[in-house]
Amino acid sequence: MITVGLIGKTNVGKSTFFSAATLVDVEIANRPFVTIEPNVGMAYVKTLCVHNEFKVKCNPKNSICIEDYRFIPIKLVDVAGLIPGAHEGRGLGNKFLDDLRKADVLIHVIDASGSTNEEGVTVESGSRDPEEDIKFVEDEINEWFISIIKKDWEKFARISDLGNKDQIDALLGKLSGLSVNREEIIQSLKESKLENIKFMQWNEEDIRKFGITLRQVSKPIIIAANKDDIQVARKNIDRLKEKYKFIVPTSAEAELALRKAAKNGLIDYIPGEKEFKIKSIGLPEKQRKALDYIKTNVLDVYGNTGVQQAINEAVFGALNMITVFPVEDERKLTDRNGNVLPDAILIKKGSTPKELAAAIHSDLAKGFLYAIDARKKIRVGENYQLQDRDVIKIVSSLAHG
């Protein structure tokens, strides 16, 4: 399962974002270090289901279908707030960073209204430049990567070079605690222009360049520009969008309020949508005003609250994933038990049917013969590049349990 890490300084709405995304009650308080242990919950990426296109009613097993949308589970980890100097042990220091080791992608929640200083203390709105928070959090994580690479570097370089160890294998062993894979190391070496250069020839600048590149490749960062309902935040968001690739205007409080109202049967609301429908005739005035505020200051301005969009951007954008629907009967679109479109699998864009088979079960991949594209009703070979929302049958000589 894909793991998304929630990062940021204290008091910017991370815990609210986490609660909105998972609807798990966590302690939300206006003080530093309220999140001591990481909160772990299940959130979902959202994509159009294919059931309407094929005119069938689906029976999801590994995911959820709500109206037109398939929601696929991912793990969300809310890590305690970072402060400047965390990689040197300030605040709760390296423990925060260690909790991110298994994350595939990071969502950095910032206070786009500039109403919290670098330590997370409340200040006047607009008095803090949120770009400073983007820079310091990114710097902390980059420095953490660099420190792990630098540790015992001379000894590592000497043993690897003199022992003629494979460059990739050597780095994989050294960096196993960061949960990086072979492809990420290969890409980072290439982008750093350090391929096939002996480790003993790397200087301080080379190590830093490789560390930062590896962080960018293995743990890309999405910016959730939170508190977007506050007027001053809008100018900041417009400015940040010009400089950063992944900026998502967000109101975690609005999303949490909408999801709770939907859970309590007061409104109809699908996460990430641009509107909701009030169901309860006798809705108290206070709640009606709160919903009006959300509609006017968030949904009408941005088209959504940003929470679902940030998660989708992390998985489909930064990680470059697509959704594929594997079936055992390509005519009925069922598994062996007759469930229609039971599973939705997240897989890297550019993956092949054989790699899909491996993601389902190793035996399927070992005996892979070919696949069938249920939409086009044609056979495809192991070199076919899967497309988003493909419905695929794997034909294998080996059954799986």
Side-chain angles (χ1 to χ4, degrees):
M1 185 181 288
I2 289 169
T3 299
V4 177
L6 267 187
I7 60 171
K9 68 183 186 186
T10 57
N11 198 18
V12 293
K14 265 190 322 95
S15 294
T16 307
F17 186 108
F18 178 85
S19 287
T22 61
L23 265 188
V24 173
D25 290 326
V26 297
E27 188 180 0
I28 300 170
N30 192 18
R31 59 187 175 87
F33 307 126
V34 74
T35 311
I36 304 301
E37 295 301 321
N39 293 300
V40 181
M42 191 175 288
Y44 298 85
V45 290
K46 171 187 174 186
T47 189
L48 272 176
C49 189
V50 296
H51 64 256
N52 284 339
E53 182 186 344
F54 285 90
K55 297 180 172 54
V56 294
K57 180 173 170 49
C58 58
N59 310 108
K61 292 298 167 190
N62 80 334
S63 43
I64 300 165
C65 207
I66 304 174
E67 293 189 16
D68 296 340
Y69 298 102
R70 186 67 70 106
F71 288 82
I72 307 160
I74 54 108
K75 187 189 287 186
L76 190 64
V77 180
D78 173 22
V79 178
L82 283 167
I83 62 170
H87 75 279
E88 296 169 338
R90 277 201 75 215
L92 297 182
N94 289 326
K95 184 189 181 312
F96 296 177
L97 297 165
D98 285 347
D99 290 329
L100 293 175
R101 287 180 189 272
K102 297 250 183 308
D104 300 297
V105 60
L106 307 174
I107 295 176
H108 179 190
V109 182
I110 65 167
D111 177 355
S113 71
S115 54
T116 43
N117 70 12
E118 67 273 13
E119 303 280 346
V121 177
T122 301
V123 293
E124 185 183 350
S125 289
S127 61
R128 168 80 172 170
D129 182 354
E131 188 174 3
E132 294 299 315
D133 298 327
I134 294 175
K135 287 175 180 174
F136 106 67
V137 167
E138 196 169 299
D139 285 347
E140 288 299 327
I141 298 170
N142 288 344
E143 292 297 336
W144 169 55
F145 261 65
I146 291 163
S147 69
I148 290 170
I149 295 166
K150 279 174 70 173
K151 189 177 180 185
D152 299 325
W153 178 262
E154 287 182 14
K155 181 182 176 184
F156 161 78
R158 191 170 60 252
I159 291 171
S160 299
D161 287 353
L162 297 178
N164 284 321
K165 283 191 179 179
D166 177 79
Q167 189 183 34
I168 315 299
D169 288 340
L171 286 170
L172 265 175
K174 179 171 178 53
L175 305 176
S176 59
L178 286 173
S179 299
V180 295
N181 61 39
R182 178 176 292 274
E183 289 71 30
E184 289 163 345
I185 288 176
I186 291 170
Q187 184 181 338
S188 301
L189 284 169
K190 192 173 182 181
E191 290 184 15
S192 306
K193 296 184 170 54
L194 291 166
E195 291 171 293
N196 303 318
I197 294 178
K198 292 284 187 184
F199 293 132
M200 290 168 71
Q201 293 176 10
W202 288 26
N203 57 30
E204 174 87 12
E205 188 183 330
D206 292 332
I207 292 171
R208 290 189 65 82
K209 185 166 58 174
F210 176 72
I212 292 169
T213 304
L214 183 63
R215 198 284 302 158
Q216 291 168 340
V217 168
S218 66
K219 301 205 188 320
I221 298 176
I222 298 295
I223 309 295
N226 197 31
K227 306 184 185 180
D228 68 7
D229 58 306
I230 298 172
Q231 195 68 37
V232 69
R234 294 176 189 173
K235 286 182 182 177
N236 286 334
I237 290 169
D238 289 340
R239 176 168 53 86
L240 293 172
K241 275 187 169 182
E242 292 176 6
K243 293 185 72 172
Y244 295 88
K245 185 178 178 183
F246 297 118
I247 297 280
V248 183
T250 304
S251 174
E253 279 196 356
E255 181 69 13
L256 182 58
L258 291 174
R259 291 203 190 189
K260 282 189 170 180
K263 189 178 181 181
N264 293 330
L266 303 177
I267 63 171
D268 281 328
Y269 174 66
I270 297 174
E273 290 300 279
K274 62 182 178 183
E275 54 192 29
F276 59 85
K277 184 180 177 185
I278 295 174
K279 290 167 68 177
S280 175
I281 298 171
L283 199 65
E285 182 66 18
K286 185 179 177 184
Q287 282 182 309
R288 190 174 288 277
K289 278 186 174 177
L291 290 171
D292 284 344
Y293 178 87
I294 291 170
K295 181 181 183 303
T296 303
N297 294 282
V298 179
L299 300 181
D300 287 351
V301 177
Y302 298 104
N304 53 67
T305 69
V307 171
Q308 186 64 60
Q309 281 65 28
I311 294 169
N312 270 29
E313 194 66 79
V315 175
F316 296 130
L319 290 182
N320 209 17
M321 307 295 274
I322 60 171
T323 309
V324 178
F325 297 82
V327 295
E328 290 198 35
D329 185 326
E330 76 279 12
R331 294 178 299 277
K332 295 180 180 177
L333 309 181
T334 57
D335 63 11
R336 67 180 61 181
N337 298 315
N339 297 302
V340 178
L341 297 169
D343 296 330
I345 304 286
L346 295 169
I347 196 165
K348 277 273 187 193
K349 188 176 182 180
S351 294
T352 65
K354 191 170 183 178
E355 287 167 328
L356 173 65
I360 298 168
H361 197 282
S362 57
D363 283 351
L364 268 184
K366 283 176 191 170
F368 180 86
L369 298 172
Y370 59 90
I372 297 174
D373 181 330
R375 185 179 279 107
K376 295 176 182 172
K377 299 180 173 57
I378 57 170
R379 274 194 194 195
V380 292
E382 63 178 83
N383 295 323
Y384 168 74
Q385 283 198 358
L386 294 166
Q387 302 300 305
D388 189 37
R389 299 172 65 248
D390 267 353
V391 182
I392 297 287
K393 171 187 170 70
I394 301 294
V395 180
S396 175
S397 61
L398 296 175
H400 69 285

